[in-house]
Amino acid sequence: EEEEEEEGFSPSSTLEWRVLILDDVTTKVVSSAVGMADLMAERSITSVESILKSREPQPEREAIYFISPTNEKAVKALIKDWDVSETNNDEEEVNNNENEKKKKKKKLTLFGGGNKKNNNEHNNKKKESKKKPTKPYRAAHVFFSSPAQRETLQRLKQNTNLIRHLKTCKEVYAEFQVNDSRSFSVDYAGALPALFGERGRILGECVDACSTRLSTMLSTIGELNANIRYKKGVMNEDGEIIGRNACEAVARQTEYLLSKMREKKSLDEETKKTNGSVSSNLGKSGDTSTCEVLVLDRSFDYVAPIIHEWTYEAIIHDLLNVPNSVYTYSINTNKGVEEKIAKLDEKDALYVELRHAHVAKVMGDLFEKGRIENEASQKNTSNSDIKRMVQALPETLARRAKLSIHTSIAAELNHVLNVCDLASVGRMEQMVAFGEATSKDIIQLLSSPPSNVSDNLDEGGSNAASTITIEQTLPAVEKLRLLMIYAATHPEKIDEQEALKWIRASGLTQKDIDTVLKLEQLGAKIRKTDATTSKSTRMNRPRVDERLKATSSNPSNASFDRFIPRVAAMVRELDGNALSLDGFPSCSVLSSFTNEGKSKNGDGEKTSQYGVNNCVDDDGSKSSGSNLSTRPQAKLGRWALHARNGSAIPDIPSRTGTPDSFVEDELESKRKTKKKRIIIFVLGGVTRGEIREGFHLSEELDRDVFIGGTSILNPETFIGDLMSIEGSLSLQSTKTRIMHSASPPPDVSHEHLDPVSSHSHLQAQSASMPPPEVAKSPQMDPKELEKLLSGLENL
């Protein structure tokens, strides 16, 4: 306030508008959640600038710095903004120039050449030159997107000019991107190559970044006491852990960071009780769990990122070029053709209505909406109707503009689907995924003419068109995806002869075959070995879940959307406390977590049911996707229900006895108690189909389900990440793969993780881990074996 009075600024003029300064990380965070109009209207932000670019000083306004403390360039730029060392050098040059000018002025004053006006202007310029660099903004508010290291704060403390003008310095814990109301991303695009590549990749950096950003997301939504579970690492045939135990490392690091946040929250609460002046932006702290977090990696379902999803949102991001969900289209105006852009997000009500519907239904709905709009515009209207139309004109124009945008999108989608005959390809994908089609069926499809050509021939079209096949019209990436689905769901089928057959039939290259083989680094069994039999192929087939046919509103579309991502069944199992603790252990340290997740009776049967999906088991037979009992537990009292749901003990007496009373109590407890949130985090990226399942499961289970990952995947980016994984597999080396089991698996604890005591278990676990079974390895002389391994290494 004293500075405001001295400088002649009123509080309203200085505090009404501020400047928001961001770095590369926080720019994505802010832009994913709010727009510039929202910032100006709600937060009085007059401009948003990059901290890494040169900026004009605005000493009449306050600056809000929102940067990542791990971004070294951003921290240096913040210090440089308020550094007075450069100003001192400028002042020395000014003083030297002033001394020379004073001598000249003395000579001029002797002959009457002095001018007071010029002297005053010069003095003002001198003051401005000194003041401008020392105070670029009126004040500074510094917010860090994640926990800042002590060294970073010490560096800021050494800048006395910054400290003098610093009004706020706070950690806000927001270093993640919001995709929509049910999904998020931590924006770490290189996670898949880091997790599944060879040794030497930057796994530690990936784990640190993902765990830090995941913890900020949990803090932002107020879930400090999360029960964090993770997918346990599984060894492959080479004795290496698939995913290199990254799920466990991220889970434990996130738990460690949340424990530090809980400590800070408790400290803030104690300070607040003491002086009543401290508030914290952290969530609630305590000794009971507030949500369920499950950390997975992409190896849990490697079919979902490849297969075509036929819902509107998923197919838009699959087939069209919509970077950052921005659709570019052209319109005809009086000035000619103009390009326009449209943001596909939840501010578009029509997009929200259509995004999870089948694309065929979307096209029908858009046609019907367009027909209704045309009839409304041509209808004869009275004077009262005209008045209402004029009043509703802005809303009508906005609605018709959105309808025009989505009609354009639907037309472009329809063109791509017809040109590539993706309808036939999509049906074949579903049949392949469920083991109902073989490689012969796929090759036959590729050699057949497209549907539009067949229809043309039936109508008496040109015979020249009969030579066109789907293989010629289908893009190479679509043929590669079809082969990857076949290889992933039909284990141990690819050998040299099979690869050559695919290359001849589809026109793919050897590089494409190498990309298919890299699915083995995600746990798939692709290569055919000498030990491969029809029984082993059936036993190694991955589980593929099938959607209930009754859920499809149009029976003709049932053949397109039978496949359902694996995450849906896992969320249902987590909701029913039926997810195995052996395969998905918990790393949370609070006492209330130790007894959660145990919902099996003495016979090992699950005791609750939330929806059923058909699935293809390992032996190829179809069964229920949820083996849950429907018989109510009459002996379970009301207190047990609340304890299992994680809520407080009710204030009314518990009742036990008949099944009817149990069901009544269960319904009443659901009405009075809100279930815990379920948060799924996928290392390697999450697909649009999995995000869609999060919306459906939230409604089905009556609880919040959030699904996020290191990035939002589409098939093209997933295949690109797969191709960038280090290491290569050869079809000729299948006989010698078992030799590599002599080398120990990579130890995640020796990577650059966080050197905290909570990670010491990783070394102990690695030390106590039993070595690979030597009985399966051929008996060889040690010298012979060493010679062979050295030869393979050189090769």
Side-chain angles (χ1 to χ4, degrees):
E1 291 176 355
E2 292 177 357
E3 289 178 359
E4 289 170 3
E5 294 175 358
E6 291 175 1
E7 298 177 11
F9 296 125
S10 63
S12 60
S13 63
T14 55
L15 298 179
E16 184 175 358
W17 295 104
R18 298 180 176 88
V19 181
L20 180 60
I21 304 174
L22 308 172
D23 63 5
D24 296 339
V25 176
T26 54
T27 297
K28 297 178 181 180
V29 173
V30 173
S31 60
S32 70
V34 295
M36 187 63 196
D38 301 324
L39 292 173
M40 294 182 66
E42 301 177 8
R43 297 290 178 255
S44 300
I45 300 297
T46 184
S47 63
V48 180
E49 300 180 356
S50 172
I51 195 172
L52 301 180
K53 296 181 180 179
S54 58
R55 289 161 276 116
E56 288 293 329
Q58 301 183 44
E60 73 281 1
R61 290 179 181 146
E62 295 183 352
I64 300 176
Y65 292 87
F66 181 36
I67 62 176
S68 172
T70 57
N71 190 339
E72 183 63 23
K73 293 182 179 179
V75 175
K76 287 182 178 179
L78 169 61
I79 296 173
K80 186 179 180 181
D81 279 356
W82 300 89
D83 194 1
V84 295
S85 59
E86 298 180 1
T87 306
N88 293 335
N89 296 332
D90 295 337
E91 290 178 356
E92 289 178 2
E93 293 179 3
V94 171
N95 292 333
N96 293 333
N97 294 333
E98 292 302 323
N99 291 333
E100 294 179 0
K101 291 179 179 180
K102 282 181 181 179
K103 294 179 181 179
K104 293 180 181 180
K105 287 179 182 179
K106 287 182 180 180
K107 295 180 180 179
L108 291 174
T109 52
L110 291 175
F111 298 98
N115 191 336
K116 288 185 177 180
K117 184 177 180 180
N118 292 337
N119 291 337
N120 291 335
E121 290 178 357
H122 181 73
N123 292 333
N124 291 335
K125 290 181 180 179
K126 178 181 176 181
K127 290 180 180 179
E128 289 177 2
S129 64
K130 289 183 179 181
K131 182 179 179 180
K132 187 175 179 180
T134 58
K135 190 177 180 181
Y137 303 100
R138 183 178 177 276
H141 303 269
V142 179
F143 296 93
F144 291 115
S145 59
S146 58
Q149 298 292 330
R150 186 180 297 272
E151 293 78 8
T152 303
L153 300 178
Q154 288 294 335
R155 291 169 61 188
L156 298 183
K157 189 176 180 181
Q158 293 174 0
N159 192 323
T160 56
N161 191 33
L162 173 61
I163 298 301
R164 189 183 306 115
H165 295 89
L166 187 64
K167 286 191 173 182
T168 309
C169 186
K170 195 172 185 179
E171 297 169 345
V172 296
Y173 304 109
E175 200 167 300
F176 63 97
Q177 296 179 24
V178 178
N179 182 59
D180 52 40
S181 58
R182 292 287 174 191
S183 63
F184 65 96
S185 165
V186 299
D187 191 33
Y188 196 93
L192 195 72
L195 300 181
F196 298 100
E198 292 183 347
R199 306 176 196 180
R201 289 291 293 173
I202 48 175
L203 177 63
E205 179 185 339
C206 175
V207 169
D208 288 341
C210 294
S211 56
T212 299
R213 295 173 184 180
L214 177 59
S215 64
T216 64
M217 182 268 175
L218 294 173
S219 173
T220 299
I221 63 175
E223 301 289 1
L224 289 184
N225 298 335
N227 180 20
I228 304 178
R229 299 174 65 176
Y230 59 91
K231 177 179 175 291
K232 192 174 181 180
V234 179
M235 275 193 178
N236 59 16
E237 292 182 355
D238 297 335
E240 298 177 348
I241 297 178
I242 301 172
R244 303 163 69 185
N245 271 341
C247 293
E248 180 178 3
V250 169
R252 294 193 179 277
Q253 177 78 340
T254 303
E255 170 58 30
Y256 169 76
L257 294 172
L258 291 180
S259 67
K260 292 298 182 184
M261 294 180 186
R262 289 194 294 265
E263 293 176 4
K264 183 177 181 181
K265 174 68 177 177
S266 301
L267 197 61
D268 289 348
E269 290 176 350
E270 293 178 2
T271 308
K272 186 176 181 180
K273 290 179 181 178
T274 304
N275 52 27
S277 61
V278 177
S279 62
S280 175
N281 63 313
L282 296 174
K284 297 180 180 180
S285 61
D287 58 353
T288 58
S289 63
T290 56
C291 74
E292 300 284 341
V293 178
L294 181 60
V295 180
L296 307 169
D297 61 33
R298 201 59 262 174
S299 65
F300 87 100
D301 186 358
Y302 37 78
V303 178
I306 311 170
I307 199 167
H308 281 91
E309 289 280 354
W310 293 91
T311 50
Y312 187 54
E313 178 185 28
I315 204 168
I316 286 175
H317 288 84
D318 186 353
L319 302 182
L320 304 185
N321 183 24
V322 283
N324 300 320
S325 298
V326 176
Y327 174 68
T328 305
Y329 62 102
S330 301
I331 59 173
N332 294 322
T333 63
N334 296 331
K335 299 179 181 179
V337 179
E338 293 185 3
E339 282 196 352
K340 298 286 186 179
I341 61 172
K343 180 71 173 177
L344 303 178
D345 57 14
E346 292 183 332
K347 293 181 180 179
D348 184 348
L350 183 57
Y351 177 70
V352 172
E353 177 186 347
L354 301 174
R355 60 182 171 180
H356 297 148
H358 194 279
V359 64
K361 182 179 183 301
V362 169
M363 291 181 180
D365 290 348
L366 290 175
F367 176 80
E368 183 65 19
K369 290 178 183 292
R371 185 186 63 80
I372 294 173
E373 289 289 342
N374 289 333
E375 291 180 355
S377 61
Q378 297 173 3
K379 186 174 63 173
N380 294 328
T381 55
S382 61
N383 293 333
S384 59
D385 293 335
I386 292 175
K387 181 179 179 180
R388 286 194 295 269
M389 289 173 61
V390 171
Q391 292 175 345
L393 184 60
E395 181 181 350
T396 302
L397 292 176
R399 184 178 64 253
R400 290 183 177 179
K402 294 296 184 183
L403 181 60
S404 175
I405 292 170
H406 290 284
T407 303
S408 175
I409 293 175
E412 191 171 348
L413 286 174
N414 188 50
H415 173 73
V416 175
L417 292 173
N418 289 333
V419 168
C420 301
D421 198 12
L422 288 181
S424 301
V425 176
R427 291 190 185 95
M428 180 59 66
E429 283 182 351
Q430 301 289 322
M431 294 172 64
V432 169
F434 292 100
E436 299 168 1
T438 63
S439 60
K440 293 180 180 179
D441 298 320
I442 299 175
I443 294 175
Q444 183 179 357
L445 172 70
L446 295 177
S447 60
S448 61
S451 300
N452 52 2
V453 175
S454 301
D455 297 339
N456 188 24
L457 291 174
D458 294 340
E459 296 174 1
S462 172
N463 292 329
S466 61
T467 59
I468 300 176
T469 63
I470 292 179
E471 186 273 325
Q472 295 172 337
T473 59
L474 195 64
V477 67
E478 300 294 342
K479 292 182 283 188
L480 176 59
R481 289 168 64 178
L482 192 56
L483 173 56
M484 293 175 73
I485 295 171
Y486 169 76
T489 56
H490 294 69
E492 300 181 1
K493 288 288 188 179
I494 305 297
D495 56 9
E496 291 182 359
Q497 294 181 356
E498 187 76 7
L500 289 174
K501 184 172 68 173
W502 275 98
I503 290 175
R504 294 193 198 100
S506 62
L508 296 175
T509 63
Q510 184 61 44
K511 185 178 180 180
D512 296 326
I513 301 298
D514 294 339
T515 302
V516 176
L517 295 180
K518 286 189 176 181
L519 285 173
E520 285 202 352
Q521 294 178 276
L522 274 67
K525 297 182 183 296
I526 305 297
R527 293 176 292 178
K528 188 176 182 179
T529 64
D530 294 337
T532 300
T533 62
S534 58
K535 183 179 180 181
S536 65
T537 300
R538 290 194 302 269
M539 293 297 294
N540 291 327
R541 181 171 295 170
R543 172 175 171 175
V544 181
D545 294 342
E546 183 177 8
R547 194 184 310 277
L548 288 175
K549 294 182 180 180
T551 60
S552 179
S553 59
N554 189 352
S556 63
N557 297 332
S559 60
F560 287 94
D561 58 356
R562 295 167 57 191
F563 175 84
I564 183 172
R566 180 76 181 89
V567 71
M570 299 181 74
V571 170
R572 289 189 179 95
E573 291 175 6
L574 190 61
D575 174 74
N577 290 333
L579 193 64
S580 170
L581 283 172
D582 295 331
F584 301 90
S586 172
C587 66
S588 298
V589 297
L590 298 180
S591 58
S592 62
F593 297 151
T594 56
N595 294 325
E596 294 187 1
K598 299 179 180 179
S599 64
K600 295 185 179 181
N601 57 22
D603 299 331
E605 295 180 349
K606 302 171 187 178
T607 57
S608 58
Q609 183 170 356
Y610 297 91
V612 178
N613 283 304
N614 296 329
C615 68
V616 176
D617 293 333
D618 294 337
D619 59 354
S621 61
K622 291 186 179 180
S623 64
S624 171
S626 183
N627 184 24
L628 306 180
S629 173
T630 58
R631 182 179 179 180
Q633 296 178 351
K635 295 183 179 180
L636 253 173
R638 183 180 178 86
W639 65 270
L641 264 178
H642 280 262
R644 187 169 60 189
N645 290 335
S647 62
I649 297 177
D651 53 359
I652 60 176
S654 60
R655 294 185 296 168
T656 59
T658 63
D660 293 336
S661 65
F662 172 82
V663 173
E664 184 181 275
D665 286 349
E666 183 178 13
L667 294 175
E668 186 177 351
S669 66
K670 285 184 177 180
R671 286 194 298 266
K672 296 185 67 175
T673 307
K674 187 173 179 62
K675 292 184 178 181
K676 303 175 189 176
R677 291 166 168 164
I678 293 179
I679 300 171
I680 307 296
F681 182 72
V682 184
L683 296 168
V686 63
T687 68
R688 302 277 173 179
E690 290 166 343
I691 292 173
R692 178 200 63 234
E693 293 304 315
F695 280 88
H696 294 337
L697 290 167
S698 296
E699 297 180 2
E700 176 187 332
L701 305 178
D702 191 25
R703 64 192 297 180
D704 290 333
V705 177
F706 300 110
I707 298 182
T710 50
S711 60
I712 307 298
L713 287 177
N714 58 41
E716 184 179 352
T717 57
F718 175 75
I719 293 175
D721 290 343
L722 198 65
M723 295 174 66
S724 62
I725 293 178
E726 291 181 350
S728 60
L729 299 174
S730 173
L731 292 173
Q732 297 177 353
S733 61
T734 54
K735 295 182 179 181
T736 58
R737 278 193 298 166
I738 200 167
M739 298 297 181
H740 297 285
S741 62
S743 59
D747 187 2
V748 177
S749 62
H750 294 289
E751 301 277 353
H752 174 61
L753 304 178
D754 194 86
V756 294
S757 59
S758 62
H759 288 168
S760 60
H761 77 286
L762 292 175
Q763 297 181 0
Q765 182 183 6
S766 178
S768 61
M769 187 180 298
E773 295 181 7
V774 185
K776 295 182 180 180
S777 302
Q779 299 296 329
M780 294 185 65
D781 184 68
K783 293 182 180 180
E784 239 179 65
L785 179 61
E786 184 178 355
K787 183 179 179 180
L788 176 61
L789 292 177
S790 62
L792 290 174
E793 185 177 1
N794 295 332
L795 180 61

